[in-house]
Amino acid sequence: MPLLACAVLGLAGAAATGTAATTAACADLEIVFARGSGEVPGLGITGTPLVSDVKSALPSASVSSYAVDYAASYDQTSAAIGIRTYLGTGQTIPAELAPRVVAVIAFGNPLGLYGQTIKTAT
């Protein structure tokens, strides 16, 4: 099963220091999307329509997107590589950014091939 993970960040106000969001003016909403395993770089077959649908559903809001830069290979066993390209670390979302996260959605889990699951925070 391909990995398709999406983090939707509400970024109203000041830019998030140390993230890709600092390279441009902040949008009302930024969608950070990691394409599925085996897909070419970009938002992928799920991320592209997701971003389009969110923009259509929120016509009065500015919506931007960021395609996570990672290998998206079937043998990749960690999301840390993709996390580093957006947050600069392989750790969890920094505490100062966490309140601005609207949702995190996983559309698939290649760890299931190894009998593992995605860990959740409590």
Side-chain angles (χ1 to χ4, degrees):
M1 181 182 298
L3 168 67
L4 298 172
C6 172
V8 181
L9 304 168
L11 295 175
T17 305
T19 70
T22 60
T23 60
C26 286
D28 294 324
L29 184 72
E30 181 171 10
I31 300 172
V32 179
F33 199 89
R35 69 194 182 280
S37 301
E39 290 189 320
V40 298
L43 293 172
I45 61 171
T46 302
T48 299
L50 173 72
V51 171
S52 178
D53 288 350
V54 169
K55 286 180 176 181
S56 293
L58 302 171
S60 62
S62 60
V63 178
S64 64
S65 61
Y66 175 78
V68 176
D69 181 20
Y70 81 117
S73 63
Y74 289 102
D75 61 352
Q76 186 170 335
T77 60
S78 170
I81 296 166
I83 291 169
R84 281 192 290 274
T85 69
Y86 189 71
L87 294 175
T89 69
Q91 303 301 314
T92 58
I93 295 170
E96 66 271 15
L97 293 181
R100 296 164 63 184
V101 174
V102 176
V104 176
I105 307 162
F107 291 92
N109 175 19
L111 293 174
L113 298 171
Y114 304 103
Q116 300 174 0
T117 60
I118 298 171
K119 294 181 182 176
T120 59
T122 55

